[in-house]
């Protein structure tokens, strides 16, 4: 099938693009290579295999700009996977209007383009952050999500609601996937594992917000991509699925394991918890398992080893 992947040069998007090409699909990647982090990393992500691939097309620009949409939809795709966003909880506190514009307004424009071009399938990259300060663990799709604790989370929830609306009004199959902290090769440089690896390797102390007991359900990028493909291949009206690994790792353990994998003892500087952060995330993946056959299979130790291998290679 022909698939538009917005944000296809990013961390998760570039892995998805490769898997789609490997299995024989045609891919149109739309990415504006913005400077949220060094755009050279994004070019490198695509260089890995996509840029030279005969079934790969790149459109450089904002996914909501009319001329970009016009070029992307020139040959109507079977599906759109919407990965492009301003990502990250903490940076959203400094730029809420930007997050709103890119993640809400522009997502509405993209859905509108799907309606105009008769696109039947839309897969949306949502986030575990929509669960806000939910203290009931693990988080299930039926849990209340009306108390986001960051602008980023609010924009992702708004994106889900837009998906529900476009399914209701126009029958577009819209699937929202709530990713739980994704890691692996090419991870965004400001995300914890990547940032910590840089600091540990440089012998600098790393900030540990809180007492080290806060936990994240780290999910390896290949497992996420497998979940995205399964959702893409099973249009089913409006659906929401958690994609996580169901094994929360406390921050202090992550730091120890990462230090071991890098062969360097980490220096830790304890700081107070950050506003917008949540104490623990943990995915109930029963629905994704039952309806998509989703089953994450990269254990954290193995995923961390693969990340470190890539990190050491990439940092030369
Ligand atoms: N990484 C995670 O742990 C995680 C967790 C939950 C949800 N998500 C979501 O998954 C998606 C991918 O995240 P990622 O970590 O790969 O982020 P990323 O920043 O590496 O990738 C996003 C890509 O989108 C592009 N982009 C942003 N705005 C654009 C615009 N207006 N027009 C065209 N392209 C644009 C960026 O240039 C970038 O290449 C995002 O929607 C994010 O919110 C990620």
């Amino acid at each position: 099938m022909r698939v538009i992947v917005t944000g296809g040069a990013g961390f998760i998007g570039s892995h998805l693009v490769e898997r789609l090409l490997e299995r024989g699909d045609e891919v149109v990647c739309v990415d504006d290579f913005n400077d949220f982090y060094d755009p050279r990393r994004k070019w490198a992500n695509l260089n890995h295999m996509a840029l030279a691939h005969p079934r790969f097309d790149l459109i450089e620009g904002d996914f909501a700009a009319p001329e970009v949409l016009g070029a992307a939809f020139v040959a109507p795709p079977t599906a759109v996977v919407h990965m492009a966003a301003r990502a990250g909880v903490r940076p959203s506190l400094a730029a809420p209007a930007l997050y709103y514009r890119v993640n809400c307004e522009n997502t509405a424009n993209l859905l509108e383009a799907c309606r105009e071009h008769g696109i039947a399938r839309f897969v949306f990259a949502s986030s575990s952050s929509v669960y806000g300060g939910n203290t009931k663990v693990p988080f299930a799709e039926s849990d209340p999500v009306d108390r986001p604790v960051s602008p980023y989370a609010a924009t992702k929830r708004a994106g889900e609601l837009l998906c529900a609306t476009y399914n209701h009004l126009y029958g577009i199959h819209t699937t929202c996937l709530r990713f739980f902290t994704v890691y692996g090769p090419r991870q965004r440089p400001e995300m914890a594992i990547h940032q910590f690896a840089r600091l540990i390797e440089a012998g600098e102390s790393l900030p540990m917000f809180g007492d080290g007991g806060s936990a994240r359900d780290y999910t390896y990028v290949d497992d996420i991509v497998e979940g995205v493909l399964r959702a893409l291949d099973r249009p089913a009206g409006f659906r929401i699925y958690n994609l996580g690994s169901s094994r929360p790792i406390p921050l202090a353990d992550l730091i120890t394991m990462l230090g071991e994998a890098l062969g360097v003892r980490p220096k830790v500087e304890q700081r107070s918890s950050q506003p917008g952060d949540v104490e623990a995330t943990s995915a109930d993946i029963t629905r994704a398992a039952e309806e998509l056959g989703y089953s994450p299979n990269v254990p954290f130790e193995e995923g961390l080893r693969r990340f470190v291998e890539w990190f050491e290679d990439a940092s030369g």
Side-chain angles (χ1 to χ4, degrees):
M1 69 175 111
R2 183 176 168 84
V3 184
I4 292 180
V5 180
T6 68
F11 161 42
I12 306 171
S14 63
H15 284 278
L16 172 67
V17 164
E18 284 175 11
R19 284 288 303 282
L20 287 166
L21 292 171
E22 274 162 14
R23 70 177 206 168
D25 293 317
E26 267 177 71
V27 178
V28 180
C29 165
V30 179
D31 203 297
D32 68 353
F33 295 83
N34 66 60
D35 63 0
F36 177 62
Y37 59 88
D38 189 343
R40 283 174 302 184
R41 287 184 185 273
K42 301 176 187 180
W43 285 107
N45 290 345
L46 289 181
N47 244 335
H48 198 66
M49 77 96 101
L51 282 177
H53 201 285
R55 274 181 280 102
F56 180 77
D57 211 359
L58 173 65
I59 297 171
E60 196 179 337
D62 186 326
F63 69 83
E67 64 281 10
V68 171
L69 286 174
F73 285 92
V74 80
T78 313
V80 172
V81 181
H82 183 30
M83 289 280 181
R86 282 287 164 158
V89 168
R90 285 179 200 154
S92 76
L93 273 65
L98 173 65
Y99 274 68
Y100 176 78
R101 185 160 46 76
V102 176
N103 298 358
C104 301
E105 236 175 271
N106 292 3
T107 295
N109 288 340
L110 183 63
L111 279 162
E112 194 51 17
C114 289
R115 178 188 69 75
E116 279 167 18
H117 290 88
I119 308 308
R121 304 184 201 184
F122 188 88
V123 177
F124 175 61
S126 187
S127 164
S128 60
S129 64
V130 300
Y131 290 108
N134 200 4
T135 49
K136 171 205 153 271
V137 285
F139 302 165
E141 293 87 344
S142 53
D143 291 349
V145 284
D146 50 7
R147 286 274 186 274
V149 296
S150 68
Y152 170 68
T155 64
K156 284 289 166 183
R157 179 60 186 144
E160 293 184 348
L161 293 173
L162 283 167
C163 287
T165 311
Y166 272 72
N167 173 254
H168 171 76
L169 290 175
Y170 310 115
I172 301 175
H173 297 284
T174 50
T175 307
C176 302
L177 302 173
R178 293 177 176 166
F179 301 161
F180 282 66
T181 319
V182 190
Y183 74 103
R186 308 179 195 162
Q187 191 191 42
R188 297 199 319 266
E190 94 292 355
M191 290 187 74
I193 293 181
H194 197 166
Q195 193 197 122
F196 289 175
R198 259 193 331 270
L199 293 169
I200 293 173
E201 191 107 298
E204 291 175 30
S205 52
L206 53 92
M208 185 173 80
F209 296 103
D211 63 2
S214 67
R216 290 290 173 274
D217 196 345
Y218 295 104
T219 312
Y220 191 68
V221 64
D222 290 1
D223 287 327
I224 292 287
V225 167
E226 182 60 33
V228 174
L229 293 177
R230 285 170 179 271
L232 186 61
D233 294 342
R234 290 166 184 74
F238 171 66
R239 300 301 292 147
I240 294 182
Y241 299 104
N242 286 340
L243 294 185
S245 61
S246 288
R247 185 187 159 199
I249 309 280
L251 181 55
D253 293 4
L254 161 69
I255 293 171
T256 307
M257 290 161 88
L258 188 56
E260 282 167 7
L262 287 162
V264 183
R265 178 186 281 272
K267 291 184 215 154
V268 177
E269 201 179 282
Q270 197 172 338
R271 305 222 188 124
S272 53
S273 301
Q274 295 277 289
D277 281 358
V278 299
E279 191 49 29
T281 65
S282 172
D284 179 339
I285 54 172
T286 312
R287 184 187 289 179
E290 283 174 4
E291 296 183 21
L292 303 178
Y294 170 75
S295 164
N297 61 24
V298 181
F300 188 65
E301 293 74 5
E302 170 61 15
L304 203 58
R305 193 193 61 71
R306 292 188 204 171
F307 166 80
V308 165
E309 195 175 279
W310 166 83
F311 173 79
E312 290 185 328
D313 224 43
S315 54

